[in-house]
């Protein structure tokens, strides 16, 4: 073990690391109370557990701006440990106090037990011996108790009293009461003054142990126990309540006013056990409490009390309960009406919106000798309410179906919704009969009908679902159809969505396209599920379990079958599709021959073209070659994405070469043109590359239109270069130049501006001087220079007349330092983008120095774009800005973009004044601001803040923990601050 001279306490090491570096236990603590000894024990345990458990863990520790291996800070490989041949590897015998303390807290119970053999007569570790008396290992625990009993046997009362706080702290532990009982035996009587003094200790654990002891020995008066029911520590509040000393009125009051749910529920339990809550009080609490559990228990207790109660409930209480919003309370009140002599009022609650209240009313009417069904029929015939219709469906029979069908066409939408639900309750509807109700103009009625159709989602055929999208169907029917589609398997949804991508309804079309854009994640596990679903004997088609147009789904099926085949080779190997993926090469080879002439299995045959077995590979390649020869267009159209998906496999280049050669053939030009618009990016890039190899495949205007509309950057560049090459070879064409200039991409527009000179349209260059793209502006200025014109004068005119953001930036790009005055004048422009461009332009020109009042005045600008540019300009000199105004801008009543800019500038300052604002932003309701604050705190120099001493250690540690627990577990393992 590493032994160093004793040092004073340092805030940059944990208690365990101080012991490892040779400090005596009293100097290794983080404080002076009993909790410090418990924290020392925990710190050493977690520092030594790696070696004891056999883990090989290493981490990074950040000290200032640098990262170090944690072993460079504290090498726990030098700490004592257990050796099977020699026992504990002591550095010296007898061990020094730091080494003995390390071993008493060690994660290995053998080391702890051996250290206890050397702890006799060592008062500097007596507190750790007491902690070991509550050890989880029985041999360690028994030995520690023997040592402590011997030490305290001859000790004076002063030493025992010094150990009382630690004994009280440990007493709530599972095995911790023994040490406290030993202290009581040695002292002869409870130290009342000491215990009562510890009930006000700042440490919650010590205070809890003292309160338990004081309650056990009757040292606390009732008024003090009543005060403890409001203690900040939940365990102390619970102990005070369970003592039974607080007055019954106070306990009953805590049922409603307790600060936490646990307190309210504990108070309710004590009150129910003592019987201090009357039935009326229970019902009042059930109506007023905000705690769901308290309400339920009070209602349950009140119902039990009402069963044995002979006296009726007071009339005002009954009226109060009948007006409550919760149905359970109304039902309880309805059941109490007959006992209160108000049975005639039960009929008024037959139409209640809640089913349990209606049921209670029916029960009371039957007990009074009346038929509730007759009441329901009368109510529904005269002026039906939704509750009455629901009640008719609940209490009626088949003879009431004509009345329900009549009510399903009532003027009131709520009545129609209730009637439709009643028809479904009696099973008197079919999906076809429910379809007209789906178009009900009243949303609740339409929702009720929709909920009735949902059970048919899995049983009706796909043709019935597609029929719901027919052009004549109203919009609510189509909405229901979309809801039903969501209940079908994913592959069925995707198959139906492909037929709805051109639907005339925008919502349906958007849903279908969005679903098809979501590529499912295919891996071995999903492939295994697909394999079992396909081979479960139900005869499911491949497109029901796979997305047959996604190449990765075939690869996933291949992996899934191979991992599932050893578990059930008979089931998996009995189908040709799964046999093509079997782990046995002979089965795969036979399956390739069986798949000949089956187009839906050709993707798996292509997969076998890259097989690791030569015989399987050659058989599959023969089948693919024959398919290319017999039906080349269909094969290329269906299998090219799968072939390119396998291109990076070791044996995958053969299929790529065969298909590229086929695509180059002139007879497949139509397929090649079709693949240039394929949804698969790799297929589209390959087809475009092969197409552009042939000279004259497209005209220059066609190439330009392709470049302008292409979403992929790589293909956009290919189409643009091809269009420029075509115009260079065959002469510029105006339509091609116009197509390039109309693109939404700056690089394509820049190519169009460059081609203006060859097209004889150089006079149009000034139109593009204020383009949003810097590349387009640069090309326009080049074109002007070729004709001897100067762009700066044009920019000055634009900025003087009606400035655009592009014109302001263009002036900064080609202007002179004297133009900074023009840009400064635009900082007050009414248009936010113009102000943002002026700030960016000043930064390019080096105009008014960053940090001046000209820019700081814009920190409250209403435009987020302006704030972004101001932040970029002020960040290099953020240290010269006053921190107070920036902190004031981070409060939550400021706009989000103002707060984000202030946070970034505070982080750029790296001053401790901004740290509270940054950590407070971690709890901001806006996710974007939380992300910004976390990114900024990742780059914060915490070690420098600790060294400057601006904050107290506990305060800085609280800030750091707030940041630390926002990290994911990988970052947590790499991040630790040495205090």
């Amino acid at each position: 073990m590493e032994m160093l001279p004793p040092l004073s306490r340092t805030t940059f090491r944990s208690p365990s690391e101080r012991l490892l570096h040779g400090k005596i236990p009293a100097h290794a603590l983080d404080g002076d109370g009993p909790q410090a000894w418990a924290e020392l024990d925990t710190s050493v345990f977690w520092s030594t557990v790696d070696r004891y458990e056999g883990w090989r863990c290493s981490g990074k520790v950040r000290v200032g701006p640098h990262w170090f291996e944690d072993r460079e800070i504290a090498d726990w490989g030098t700490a004592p440990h257990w050796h099977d041949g020699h026992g504990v590897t002591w550095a010296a015998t007898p061990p020094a106090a730091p080494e003995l303390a390390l071993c008493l807290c060690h994660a290995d119970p053998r080391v702890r037990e051996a250290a206890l053999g050397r702890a006799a007569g060592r008062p500097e570790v007596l507190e750790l011996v007491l902690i070991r008396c509550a050890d989880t290992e029985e041999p360690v625990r028994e030995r520690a108790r023997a040592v402590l009993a011997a030490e305290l046997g001859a000790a004076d009362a002063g030493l025992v009293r010094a150990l009382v706080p630690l004994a009280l702290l440990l007493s709530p532990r599972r095995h911790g009461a023994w040490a406290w009982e030993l202290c009581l035996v040695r002292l002869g009587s409870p130290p009342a003054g000491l215990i009562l003094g510890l009930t006000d200790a700042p440490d919650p654990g010590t205070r809890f142990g003292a309160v338990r002891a004081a309650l056990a020995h009757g040292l606390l008066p009732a008024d003090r126990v009543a005060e403890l029911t409001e203690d900040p520590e939940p365990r102390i509040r619970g102990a005070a309540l369970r003592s039974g000393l607080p007055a019954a009125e106070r306990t009953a009051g805590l049922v409603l006013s307790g600060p936490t749910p646990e307190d309210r529920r504990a108070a309710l339990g004590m009150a129910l056990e003592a019987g201090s809550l009357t039935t009326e009080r229970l019902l009042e609490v059930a109506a007023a409490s905000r705690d769901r559990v308290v309400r339920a228990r009070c209602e349950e207790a009140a119902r039990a009390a009402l069963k044995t109660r002979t006296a009726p409930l007071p009339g005002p209480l009954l009226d109060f309960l009948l007006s409550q919003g919760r149905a359970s309370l109304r039902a309880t009140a309805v059941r109490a009406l007959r006992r209160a002599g108000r049975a005639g009022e039960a009929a008024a609650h037959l139409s209640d919106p809640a089913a349990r209240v209606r049921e209670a009313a029916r029960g009371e009417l039957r007990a009074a000798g009346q038929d509730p069904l007759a009441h329901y029929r009368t109510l529904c015939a005269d002026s039906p309410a939704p509750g009455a219709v629901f009640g008719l469906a609940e209490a009626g029979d088949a003879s009431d179906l004509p009345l329900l069908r009549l009510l399903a066409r009532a003027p009131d939408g709520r009545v129609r919704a209730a009637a439709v639900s009643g028809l479904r309750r009696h099973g008197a509807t079919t999906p076809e009969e429910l379809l007209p109700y789906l178009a009900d103009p009243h949303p609740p009625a339409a929702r009720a009908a929709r909920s009735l159709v949902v059970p048919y989602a899995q049983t009706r055929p796909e043709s019935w679902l597609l029929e719901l999208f027919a052009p004549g169907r109203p919009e609510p029917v189509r909405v229901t159809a979309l809801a039903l589609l969501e209940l079908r398997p994913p592959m069925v949804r995707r198959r139906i969505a492909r037929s709805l991508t051109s639907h005339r309804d925008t919502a349906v079309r958007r849903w279908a396209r969005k679903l098809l854009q979501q590529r499912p994640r295919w891996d071995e596990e999903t492939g295994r599920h697909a394999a079992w679903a396909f081979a479960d004997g139900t005869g499911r088609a491949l497109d029901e379990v796979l997305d047959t147009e996604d190449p990765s789904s075939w690869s996933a099926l291949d992996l899934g079958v191979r991992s599932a085949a050893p578990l059930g080779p008979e089931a998996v190997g009995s189908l040709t599709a799964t046999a093509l993926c079997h782990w046995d090469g002979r089965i795969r080879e036979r399956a390739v021959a069986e798949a000949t002439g089956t187009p839906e299995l050709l993707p798996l045959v292509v997969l076998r073209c890259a097989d690791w077995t030569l015989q399987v590979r050659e058989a599959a390649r023969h089948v693919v070659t024959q398919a290319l020869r017999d039906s080349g267009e269909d094969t290329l159209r269906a299998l090219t994405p799968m072939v390119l998906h396998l291109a990076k496999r070791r044996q995958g280049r053969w299929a790529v070469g065969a298909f590229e050669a086929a695509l180059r053939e002139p007879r497949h030009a139509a397929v090649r043109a079709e693949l240039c618009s394929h949804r698969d990016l790799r297929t589209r890039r390959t087809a475009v590359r092969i197409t552009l190899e042939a000279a004259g495949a497209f005209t220059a205007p066609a190439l330009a239109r392709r470049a302008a509309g292409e979403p992929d950057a790589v293909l956009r560049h290919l189409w643009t270069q091809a269009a420029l090459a075509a115009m260079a070879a065959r002469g510029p064409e105006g339509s091609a130049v116009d197509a390039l200039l109309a693109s939404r991409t700056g690089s394509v527009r820049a190519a169009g501006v460059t081609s203006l000179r060859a097209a004889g349209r150089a006079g149009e260059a000034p139109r593009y001087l204020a383009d949003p793209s810097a590349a387009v502006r640069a090309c326009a200025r080049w074109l002007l220079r070729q004709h001897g014109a100067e762009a700066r004068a044009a920019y000055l005119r634009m900025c003087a007349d009606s400035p655009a953001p592009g014109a302001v930036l263009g002036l900064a790009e080609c202007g002179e330092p004297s133009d900074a005055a023009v840009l400064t004048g635009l900082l007050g422009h009414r248009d936010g983008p113009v102000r943002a461009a002026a700030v960016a332009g000043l930064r390019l020109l080096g105009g008014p120095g960053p940090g001046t009042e000209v820019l700081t005045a814009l920190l409250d600008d209403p435009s987020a774009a302006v704030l972004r540019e101001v932040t970029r300009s002020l960040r290099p000199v953020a240290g010269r800005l006053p921190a107070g105004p920036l902190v004031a801008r981070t409060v939550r009543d400021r706009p989000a973009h103002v707060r984000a800019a202030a946070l970034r500038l505070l982080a750029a300052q790296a001053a401790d004044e901004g740290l509270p604002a940054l950590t407070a932003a971690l709890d901001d309701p806006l996710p974007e601001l939380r992300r910004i604050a976390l990114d900024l705190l990742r780059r914060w120099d915490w070690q420098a803040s600790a060294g400057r001493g601006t904050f107290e250690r506990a305060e800085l540690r609280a800030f750091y923990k707030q940041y630390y627990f926002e990290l994911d577990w990988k970052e947590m393992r790499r991040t630790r601050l040495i205090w």
Side-chain angles (χ1 to χ4, degrees):
M1 175 178 140
E2 181 184 3
M3 299 295 296
L4 296 177
L7 302 173
S8 59
R9 284 183 186 169
T10 172
T11 61
F12 300 112
R13 297 193 189 279
S14 64
S16 60
E17 290 168 351
R18 296 172 198 148
L19 278 182
L20 183 66
H21 286 282
K23 289 190 178 182
I24 62 174
H27 286 178
L29 301 178
D30 264 342
D32 299 322
Q35 183 66 24
W37 289 99
E39 290 178 356
L40 174 65
D41 176 56
T42 303
S43 179
V44 174
F45 178 87
W46 287 113
S47 297
T48 56
V49 73
D50 291 353
R51 181 157 188 166
Y52 169 59
E53 296 288 349
W55 303 336
R56 295 186 177 181
C57 299
S58 62
K60 294 285 187 181
V61 181
R62 184 174 180 179
V63 181
H66 302 292
W67 291 87
F68 298 91
E69 290 286 339
D70 54 3
R71 285 178 304 204
E72 298 183 34
I73 306 300
D75 187 3
W76 285 97
T78 63
H81 59 277
W82 184 263
H83 190 279
D84 290 334
H86 305 287
V88 180
T89 58
W90 303 106
T93 306
E99 187 174 20
L100 183 59
L102 276 178
C103 295
L104 285 173
C105 307
H106 205 280
D108 192 339
R110 298 169 296 182
V111 176
R112 297 199 299 270
E113 186 178 1
L116 287 168
R118 299 178 180 272
R122 304 292 294 270
E124 63 270 24
V125 294
L126 191 58
E127 288 83 354
L128 298 177
V129 173
L130 190 148
I131 292 176
R132 295 281 68 81
C133 292
D135 200 279
T136 55
E137 299 290 336
E138 185 176 0
V140 179
R141 192 166 60 243
E142 295 301 327
R143 191 158 189 176
R145 290 176 178 180
V147 173
L148 185 64
E151 292 292 323
L152 296 186
D156 56 0
L159 178 60
V160 179
R161 292 175 65 87
L163 294 176
V164 164
L166 182 57
L168 288 175
L169 174 65
L170 299 176
S171 61
R173 295 189 182 182
R174 182 180 180 185
H175 304 289
W178 185 90
W180 168 238
E181 294 170 358
L182 178 64
C183 291
L184 287 179
V185 171
R186 293 293 185 262
L187 291 173
S189 62
L194 180 58
I195 294 175
L196 291 176
L198 290 174
T199 57
D200 295 322
D203 174 49
T206 306
R207 197 165 69 250
F208 174 57
V211 168
R212 288 178 76 245
L215 291 173
H217 294 284
L219 302 178
L220 291 174
D223 55 348
R224 174 59 176 154
V225 177
E227 292 177 4
L228 290 176
T229 58
E230 299 178 358
D231 193 273
E233 177 64 23
R235 296 182 298 171
I236 296 177
R237 295 197 300 267
L241 282 172
R242 288 189 294 271
S243 67
L245 294 178
E249 295 80 7
R250 187 177 187 87
T251 304
L254 287 173
V255 176
L256 282 176
S257 61
T260 65
E262 292 76 12
D263 296 330
R264 295 192 291 269
R265 296 165 191 175
L268 177 61
M270 297 299 299
L272 291 176
E273 185 178 350
S276 58
L277 291 176
T278 63
T279 307
E280 291 84 352
R281 180 60 176 163
L282 284 171
L283 291 172
E284 291 173 359
V285 172
S289 177
R290 62 182 185 273
D291 191 318
R292 178 177 56 84
V293 176
V294 170
R295 292 198 304 264
R297 292 183 62 184
C298 286
E299 289 182 28
E300 182 181 358
R303 284 193 293 268
L306 285 173
K307 291 180 180 178
T308 59
R309 180 187 173 104
T310 57
L313 290 177
L317 178 60
L318 272 178
D319 296 334
F320 172 70
L321 294 176
L322 289 172
S323 64
Q324 288 297 304
R326 287 205 304 280
S328 58
L329 289 176
R330 297 202 304 276
T332 301
V334 168
R335 292 189 181 95
L337 285 173
R338 184 162 47 90
R339 187 174 299 170
R342 300 166 57 178
E345 299 180 18
H349 301 281
L350 287 173
S351 302
D352 195 275
R356 62 170 65 184
V357 180
R358 296 194 298 268
E359 183 181 0
R362 290 195 294 268
E364 292 301 308
L365 285 178
R366 293 190 185 102
Q370 301 183 38
D371 182 15
L373 183 57
H375 284 275
Y376 278 128
R377 288 170 177 167
T378 304
L379 289 172
C380 292
D382 296 340
S383 55
V389 179
F390 278 115
L392 178 64
E394 293 162 353
D397 50 27
S399 62
D400 297 309
L401 289 177
L403 180 57
L404 288 175
R405 294 184 189 277
L406 180 64
L407 292 173
R409 298 188 294 273
D412 190 350
R414 297 174 301 167
V415 173
R416 295 197 300 272
V420 171
S421 300
L423 290 173
R424 178 69 183 89
R425 183 184 184 91
H426 289 282
T429 56
T430 63
E432 288 72 17
E433 186 180 358
L434 288 170
L435 287 181
Y437 298 114
L438 293 174
D440 196 291
H442 188 62
R447 284 196 298 270
R450 191 179 311 143
S451 65
L452 302 179
V453 179
V454 165
Y456 301 104
Q458 301 290 348
T459 59
R460 308 301 292 176
E462 295 180 19
S463 57
W464 184 81
L465 286 174
L466 284 172
E467 212 174 289
L468 299 180
F469 294 100
R473 299 289 188 187
E475 181 181 358
V477 176
R478 295 196 297 272
V479 172
T480 302
L482 291 178
L484 296 179
L485 274 179
E486 291 296 332
L487 301 176
R488 300 301 292 266
M491 297 305 110
V492 176
R493 293 204 306 269
R494 296 179 70 85
R495 185 169 59 247
I496 295 178
R498 292 191 186 99
S499 61
L500 298 175
T501 53
S502 301
H503 198 277
R504 69 177 188 178
D505 188 345
T506 306
V508 175
R509 188 168 63 247
R510 188 185 303 116
W511 173 86
R513 292 177 179 176
K514 182 179 180 180
L515 179 66
L516 293 176
Q517 288 173 0
Q518 298 172 354
R519 306 296 291 270
R521 182 177 178 269
W522 294 96
D523 52 17
E524 182 178 349
E525 183 178 358
T526 56
R528 189 184 304 115
H529 292 319
W532 286 116
F534 181 60
D536 60 0
T538 58
R540 299 175 67 179
L542 267 174
D543 56 0
E544 290 186 12
V545 296
L546 289 177
D547 184 4
T548 54
E549 295 189 7
D550 188 355
S552 59
S553 65
W554 297 102
S555 302
L557 178 66
D558 182 42
L559 291 174
V561 171
R562 208 156 49 244
S563 62
L567 304 177
E570 296 81 8
V572 177
S574 60
L575 300 171
T576 304
T578 52
L580 281 166
C581 310
H582 203 276
W583 58 274
D584 191 337
R586 292 164 294 189
I587 295 178
R588 294 199 305 276
E589 186 178 2
R590 289 196 300 269
V592 168
E594 295 174 3
T596 305
T598 310
E600 59 268 18
L601 295 181
L602 281 180
L604 290 174
V605 177
V606 171
L607 196 62
R608 298 279 68 85
C609 289
D611 200 278
W612 59 92
T613 303
L614 176 62
Q615 292 84 351
V616 179
R617 200 162 58 238
E618 291 180 348
R621 290 176 179 179
H622 175 73
V623 173
V624 170
T625 302
Q626 184 177 355
L628 285 173
R629 184 175 61 251
D630 296 343
S631 55
E633 290 189 359
D634 295 338
T635 302
L636 289 172
R637 190 179 293 109
L639 298 182
T640 300
M642 187 67 190
V643 168
L644 297 175
H645 175 68
L646 304 173
K648 292 186 178 180
R649 294 201 176 187
R650 184 178 181 183
Q651 303 292 341
R653 292 303 305 171
W654 178 88
V656 175
F659 272 67
E660 287 185 353
L663 284 173
R664 287 186 174 90
E665 296 180 9
R667 61 192 181 100
H668 294 148
V671 180
R672 191 168 62 238
E674 183 179 342
L675 293 180
C676 287
S677 303
H678 200 276
R679 65 169 185 156
D680 182 66
L681 183 58
R682 285 172 297 201
T683 303
R684 199 160 71 247
R685 286 180 177 179
T686 301
V688 169
R689 178 173 52 82
I690 294 175
T691 301
L692 293 179
E693 290 177 358
F698 289 96
T699 62
L703 291 170
R705 286 192 295 271
R706 290 271 190 168
E710 177 59 53
D712 180 55
V714 174
L715 290 179
R716 196 161 53 237
H717 177 72
L718 290 177
W719 289 117
T720 303
Q721 295 302 315
L724 293 177
M727 286 190 289
R730 297 190 288 268
E733 298 187 31
S735 57
V737 175
D738 292 337
L740 293 176
L741 293 173
S743 174
R744 298 178 62 182
T745 306
S747 59
V748 180
R749 292 200 306 276
V753 172
T754 305
S755 61
L756 284 175
R757 183 185 183 191
R761 299 164 54 182
E764 301 179 17
R767 293 169 47 188
Y768 301 98
L769 286 174
D771 194 272
S773 171
V776 177
R777 294 195 300 268
C779 291
R781 291 195 297 270
W782 170 83
L783 194 56
L784 284 179
R785 286 195 299 271
Q786 299 303 312
H787 291 76
E790 184 60 41
R792 178 173 173 270
Y795 279 129
L796 288 173
R797 286 194 302 272
M798 292 179 189
C799 292
D801 298 339
S802 56
V808 177
L809 289 172
L811 177 61
E813 290 165 351
C814 69
E816 299 175 355
S818 59
D819 298 327
V822 178
L823 300 182
T824 304
L826 294 174
L827 292 177
H829 196 273
R830 65 178 181 277
D831 193 4
V834 173
R835 296 197 302 275
V839 176
L842 286 174
R843 188 172 61 250
L844 292 175
L845 285 177
T852 60
E853 295 181 358
V854 177
L855 293 181
T856 54
L858 296 174
L859 284 175
D860 295 312
D861 196 278
S863 172
V866 175
L867 262 293
R868 283 195 296 270
E869 296 298 337
V870 170
T871 304
R872 290 182 61 187
S873 298
L874 293 178
R875 189 178 293 143
V877 290
R880 294 190 299 209
L881 298 177
L886 294 178
V887 173
R889 288 182 172 92
T890 62
V891 295
R892 294 191 179 180
D893 58 348
R894 293 298 187 98
H897 65 282
V898 175
R899 290 150 61 198
L903 289 174
R904 289 192 172 99
L905 291 176
L906 285 172
Q909 282 185 338
D912 291 339
E913 290 82 356
L915 186 57
L918 286 170
T919 52
L922 293 174
D923 297 326
D924 197 276
L926 296 178
E928 181 64 20
L929 282 177
R930 293 199 300 269
R931 182 190 62 77
I932 291 172
L934 186 58
D935 289 342
L936 295 174
L937 286 172
R938 283 192 178 102
R939 299 188 289 271
W940 189 269
D941 192 346
W942 293 92
Q943 202 68 42
S945 295
R948 285 191 289 266
T950 306
F951 303 104
E952 294 292 335
R953 185 178 62 183
E955 188 179 5
L956 183 60
R957 189 185 292 262
F959 291 149
Y960 179 76
K961 285 184 177 180
Q962 190 175 358
Y963 150 72
Y964 180 77
F965 289 110
E966 292 292 330
L967 304 175
D968 56 42
W969 70 272
K970 290 184 178 179
E971 288 183 294
M972 283 184 177
R973 286 182 61 87
R974 296 195 306 265
T975 305
R976 186 161 64 96
L977 181 63
I978 304 301
W979 301 95

